[in-house]
Amino acid sequence: MGVLGNALYYMWHMGELRAIFQWKIWHQAVHERDEEKEPISLRRCFDYLEKTSRSFSAVIQELHPELLVPVTLFYLILRGLDTVEDDMTIPIDVKEPILRDFDNVIEKEGWNFTGNGPEERDRDLLVNFNVVIEEFLKIKPAYREIIRDITKKMGNGMADYASNAEHNRGINSVKEYEEYCHYVAGLVGEGLTRLFVESKLANPALLERPHLQESMGQFLQKTNIIRDIREDWDDKRRFWPKEIWSKYVDSFEDLFDPKNEEAALNCSSDMVLNALVHADECLFYLAGLKEQSVFNFAAIPQSMAIATLELVFRNPKIFHQNVKITKGQACALMVASSQNLRLVCDSFKTYTRKIQKKNTPKDPNFLKISVACGKIEQFIESIFPTQDPKILTEKAVAQADAAVSPEQAAKMAEEKKDTLIMLAIVFLSLFLLSSLFILIAWYLGARFDLAYDELKARNPLGSKVREL
């Protein structure tokens, strides 16, 4: 949208506009970088962070000082690795050795890479990768070891896929799809968790639940793969597994044919279903993060992922253009997700219900998606039970009734009986006094018949009755 389009959009979405101002003007970072104490090489690393990541840059730079530099370097190293793997202009005999040896490369002072194609978006990062290595060698050995280990695993996984000629024509099975997402995203969840625990800013129990770490990465990666289907297809890449799309169309390119829109939408809902199964485990993981800035860093991308899943669900636009949530939606999610787990759960519940609302019985995945959405809401209900005032009142009354003894019940019944008797006496007294006053007035000569005739004369309804 252009300037005019944005203006018109936000005129009708004032809540989103308010969220933008709330985040940009009133948001206070939990921690702030002290740029004056940073060497030039570290400042350049943060410059590359801002250039290569619009979504993660802000939350990374608000991290606790203990994690700020390690996580920044971890991101840049993996971004460099991904830039080599993604570039289809690099010959496989050049690409594969770099990917497999990248964990050693990051400890070679002065190393850089100039072999990316001129159109590669993050080419400049690898051209000046020596500044990343310079800062990497300065961080604590424990952090270096974690980053090296994840880089080695990821590099080898990427190399396996890059060298697999069959993979270059696309992913075949759901199992292969899960493995690919593990290497490019699940390992990121593992590495970050180890960094969080090493810094003592997360619950060590998270290390005992690797499936939670895995889900954090898989949920983000699968969401991006669904959203970017058109962009990937234009780049001659295919990440949707054949095991899924072949149930709906004969060839992958048929998904982009408007004649097959309904089949394409059913296929996309199958992909969304595959991602939704990770949602409740992501919320479970977030409950184990102790420090606020670490929580914000992990929660904000997950909230944006569930909002993006709702956006792409049964949305035909994904097959023709790249779609994204609006800036206003993103800011609203960042505001909510930088506070506490309850508000993050509220965001998940909101977008899960929107998915349920868009779900249609015509979709062959209708029941499974309904179950998956119900599972998310059930998990949220288990940690944050709904506080319905009506239900709470009924429970309170029932508890109060249960707490009354037989003696107290008899006394309350007697008091109720006495109250009714008193009310009866009051009304009887009023009736007797009124009757006595009327009788005295008649005895003293009051002409009630004349008063009655006067009232009838003034009453138009009475005249009509007489005419009839």
Side-chain angles (χ1 to χ4, degrees), residues 26-38:
W26 293 294
H27 170 69
Q28 291 185 334
V30 182
H31 305 285
E32 293 184 358
R33 282 174 54 203
D34 188 351
E35 296 185 38
E36 294 181 358
K37 295 182 179 180
E38 296 173 354

Side-chain angles (χ1 to χ4, degrees), residues 37 105 177 206 208 257 260 273 340 364 375 388:
K37 295 182 179 180
V105 159
Y177 179 56
L206 289 175
E208 301 168 8
D257 190 336
N260 301 318
L273 174 64
N340 53 57
K375 184 182 175 185
D388 188 321

Side-chain angles (χ1 to χ4, degrees), residues 86-139:
D86 268 354
D87 194 341
M88 305 306 289
T89 68
I90 302 175
I92 189 62
D93 58 337
V94 174
K95 180 184 292 187
E96 184 179 357
I98 295 175
L99 294 175
R100 295 196 187 281
D101 195 46
F102 213 75
D103 60 307
N104 294 315
V105 159
I106 58 178
E107 292 194 327
K108 294 180 181 178
E109 292 186 53
W111 186 90
N112 70 341
F113 182 69
T114 58
N116 284 107
E119 302 300 320
E120 182 60 39
R121 184 179 59 186
D122 297 325
R123 183 180 190 278
D124 196 43
L125 170 64
L126 285 172
V127 171
N128 297 284
F129 205 70
N130 55 295
V131 296
V132 177
I133 295 173
E134 182 179 343
E135 288 302 318
F136 175 73
L137 296 174
K138 296 178 185 177
I139 63 175

Side-chain angles (χ1 to χ4, degrees), residues 14 47 69 107 164 172 213 242 251 334 339 425 440:
M14 296 301 293
D47 288 341
V69 176
E107 292 194 327
N164 186 339
N172 286 320
Q213 310 164 23
K242 185 176 181 180
S251 61
M334 289 191 288
Q339 296 184 55
I425 291 172
I440 292 172

Side-chain angles (χ1 to χ4, degrees), residues 46 66 217 281 377 399 418 425:
F46 283 114
E66 178 66 19
E281 293 190 339
E377 288 213 45
Q399 290 171 356
D418 291 343
I425 291 172

